[in-house]
Amino acid sequence: MKLPQLPSDAPFSESQRAWLNGFFAGLKTSLAQSNNINSGQDTTTVNILYGSQTGNAESVANDTAAAAKAHGLKAIVKSMSEIDSAQLASMDYLLIVTSTYGEGEMPDNAQMLWEAVNTDTAPNLEKVKFSVLALGDTAYDLFCQAGKDWDRRLAELGATRLYERTDCDVEFEEPAHLWSSSVITLIAGNSATVAATTTAPAIDSKPFYNRKNPFPAKLLVNKRVTADNSSKETRHYEISIAGSGLTYEAGDALCIFPTNCPELVADIISAIGCNGQEEEPVNGELIPLTEALRTLFEIKTPSKELLEEIAKRSSDPELNELLQSGDKDRLAKYLWGRDTLDLLRQFPQCEFSAAELLSLLKPLQHRAYSISSSSKLYPDTVHLTVASVRYESLGRTHKGVCSTYLADLVDDNTDVRCFFIPNKTFRVPDNDSLPMIMVGPGTGIAPFRAFLQERQYRKAPGKNWLFFGDRNAETDFMYREEIDAMMQQGLLTRLDLAFSRDQAEKNLCARPNDRAWRRTVCLVRTRRLFLRLWRCLPHGERRRQSLTPSHCHSWR
């Protein structure tokens, strides 16, 4: 049965065209079912693999699977860490959804498979039809590089590109939906057999609150956990999620949408010669400039577009040479300590209207923080351990966006808009007898406080070894009473401490004869090495040893 196709010159937008093509594909599926044309035949299978660091790619993969099931297709969703390269050759349809980590790197759960497909023994994939969805951030130079690499490599191995790769910026939902609708429509249209179902396919239930609809939580506790005379200000927060229906696991992160510092907003408005009452169109709505800068745009870190426009308008030779050279290290050094306001003041000859400035800014994004509590002990609250960023540069005080939003701006009446992102590769071992080695310097203690609470709730017999360190023991030993209690109770089997400034020199080699100190330094520096070693083990050996990257984790 031929799938009806819209004429290429039909007056529809891309999203309308995708919806209509999906409707036609669904119609074909329904007719196929009623005529039993697939009786006794195998269902077309779509394999959806995701590489995800924060859960976004996994979420899109599950959405794509739901769309496939709605078209009568069989969808298999797996993390890239769950398969080996040989299995790729047996797939008829392969969809890759991957984010990019750091400077163009693969997510942790995709790295091993990526290395396998780049060997001389990688399988021939000439029977495979594929498409790639890449998630990224244009603020980084190597935008969506992991997705681009997968798209290139699959083609090199002989696979046929079913649908062109789609690259998504931080606002990924709409292009991701268009990609999944389009590619599933193509597969359903090409498929001779689909599943005959008499009822709508089950779609995985989702929490009502998510990135597009964050939960309006309330802050219950805001207390400092470093001493008042410490060189660092680190705070413990407890946020209520009662009544939200949201749940989390130890190892997950809480994402918070902050608002910008009102003083910084006012200074930027003054720097461009506006009064803040100017109404500008944002997402189809007229919004006063002050409100737009406070709630909708990233005004701390200058965007590449703003930098390029300032360089162009100012004709500043240093800035232009830096941007044209492509030397990221030199540019980073130049921008160190500078924010948007600093640049506007540095180049006052670059005049911007309110509309021009807003067009050069990025949307204000959420900030993700490791959760420092176990939902088993605290089902209605989530705890965070956050260092407040404050520093002096270029003659003025600078503040971190979200860390000081929580510390200074949130009160009893403030809605803390938040949502969770899972990290399934970072979990307390399922086997309670397994030992855990945890390396958590500074605020890196946060997830391991949650891990230890989880072990306490489970009454897990496995040994727990914690490495912790900071600047000074007297002022920066966070959660000291809790940790001491865990030692006394036997929950913590061993504790090794390292405080860098409680010595004559700030030097990691200052105590060369201290075995525990050297072990701490080694573990802090070698998480990536551990992951590479772990990835070298065959799948069966990893399962037998019950090894996961979370058993040895150096928090960034």
Side-chain angles (χ1 to χ4, degrees), residues 7 16 191 206 226 313 329 364 389 461 465 470 478 502 533:
Q16 290 171 331
S191 175
K206 288 184 170 183
T226 51
R313 295 189 185 193
D329 291 336
L364 182 60
V389 177
W465 183 2
D470 213 307
M478 295 176 285
D502 285 348
L533 291 171

Side-chain angles (χ1 to χ4, degrees), residues 23 46 68 131 138 190 201 281 302 307 323 339 369 377 382 442 475 530 536 542:
F23 170 78
V46 182
S131 185
T138 50
N190 293 338
L307 280 172
L323 292 173
D339 63 11
Y369 294 102
L377 294 181
V382 55
T475 58
F530 173 84
C536 290
R542 266 184 276 144

